[in-house]
């Protein structure tokens, strides 16, 4: 059961099936983790002033009820989550939401007030704030929000917005804003690859402090394998990381970095028999019902493994 052939076969199953971090239960490797996306200490370096100005200009666009001016602040692949948790993806669909409310916005003065800014990297900033709307009658209405700003070229664009509850007792965790960009993964998924079938369920933990991934992996001539992944925000290192545990006693660690519509995940850890290895895994958003997962730079005890690819489809989605 510990032969080289068996171990490599077992590891190949894990690498193909556990898409979130390739459940390659291997030893943490600082170099591998750093390759996943830490690009140095985040710095404000003028970015704070730019974002504050963007907020002011955005409030002006809302006051004017100018759809083109409003949408100029949104990235093409942005997503918006309302207070009930309903998600709208893509600037075109978000624009449709604004079209329905523009008539009610006319004559209303909007002011965007920044409450806090936190730079994850020089080009990514998390903002908590409030939109104050004052009607012609003098009646005021406030809306709390969390925004992820991403700098593209010389312009800051909104990549994610989440409406927040009015009551402070209903606030999400501090980590919720940092993890919001992974919200599209939530749901139940199925995937197949190399005679391997995978069921994947992704949910939010309480207060959205963590993203929880549970895998059930089945392959011909092998015992079923269960893998649990907890994805969280590391405020000390200002980056997203995850921890993996499988039903055989293996464990792994990974760091995540966003690259457009992809997430690059550097993974490494320890196998149940003490073996080590690592991989660089990529999650690519195809559409709201499908994920393309690839694993490259895979190795076990220093020996390379072939690349792997799996397409995950959301359960219940029309094919």
């Amino acid at each position: 059961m510990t032969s080289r052939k068996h171990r490599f076969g077992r590891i190949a199953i894990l690498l193909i099936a556990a898409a979130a971090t390739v459940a390659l239960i291997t030893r943490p490797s600082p170099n591998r983790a750093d390759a996943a996306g830490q690009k140095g200490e985040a710095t404000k370096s003028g970015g704070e002033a730019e974002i504050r100005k963007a907020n002011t200009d955005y409030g002006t666009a809302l006051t004017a009820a100018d759809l083109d001016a409003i949408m100029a602040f949104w990235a093409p692949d942005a997503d918006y989550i309302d207070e009930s948790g309903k998600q709208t993806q893509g600037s075109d669909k978000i624009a449709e939401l604004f079209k329905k409310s523009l008539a009610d916005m006319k004559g209303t003065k909007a002011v965007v007030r920044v409450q806090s800014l936190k730079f994850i990297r020089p080009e990514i900033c998390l903002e908590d704030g409030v939109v104050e709307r004052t009607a012609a009658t003098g009646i005021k209405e406030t809306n709390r929000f969390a925004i992820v700003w991403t700098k593209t070229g010389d312009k800051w664009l909104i990549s994610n917005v989440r409406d927040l509850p009015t009551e402070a007792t209903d606030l999400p965790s501090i980590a919720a804003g940092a993890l919001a960009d992974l919200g599209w993964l939530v749901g139940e998924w199925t995937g197949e690859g190399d005679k391997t079938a995978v069921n994947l369920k992704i949910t939010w933990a309480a207060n959205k402090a963590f993203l929880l991934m549970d895998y059930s992996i089945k392959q011909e001539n092998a015992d079923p394998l269960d893998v649990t992944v907890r994805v969280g925000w590391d405020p000390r290192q200002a980056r997203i990381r995850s921890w993996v545990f499988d039903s055989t006693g293996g464990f792994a660690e990974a760091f995540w970095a966003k690259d457009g519509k992809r997430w690059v995940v550097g993974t490494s850890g320890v196998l149940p028999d003490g073996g080590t290895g690592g991989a660089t895994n990529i999650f690519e958003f195809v559409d709201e019902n499908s994920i393309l997962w690839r694993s490259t730079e895979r190795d076990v005890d220093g020996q390379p493994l072939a690349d792997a690819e799996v397409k995950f489809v959301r359960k219940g989605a029309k094919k």
Side-chain angles (χ1 to χ4, degrees), residues 80-82 85 144-146 160-164 172 180 204 208:
Y80 162 68
I81 303 174
D82 66 20
R144 299 183 64 256
F145 63 80
N160 176 276
V161 173
R162 174 180 290 275
D163 284 339
L164 300 178
W204 287 111
K208 296 188 176 180

Side-chain angles (χ1 to χ4, degrees), residues 59 62-63 108-113 115 129-135 139-145:
L62 291 173
T63 297
T108 298
K109 182 180 180 181
V111 178
V112 182
R113 304 192 185 281
Q115 294 184 325
V130 175
V131 176
E132 280 188 4
R133 294 185 176 87
T134 305
I139 297 176
K140 288 188 177 182
E141 178 183 288
T142 60
N143 171 225
R144 299 183 64 256
F145 63 80

Side-chain angles (χ1 to χ4, degrees), residues 150-162:
T150 303
K151 193 168 188 179
T152 303
D154 60 355
K155 185 175 183 179
W156 287 93
L157 295 176
I158 298 169
S159 62
N160 176 276
V161 173
R162 174 180 290 275

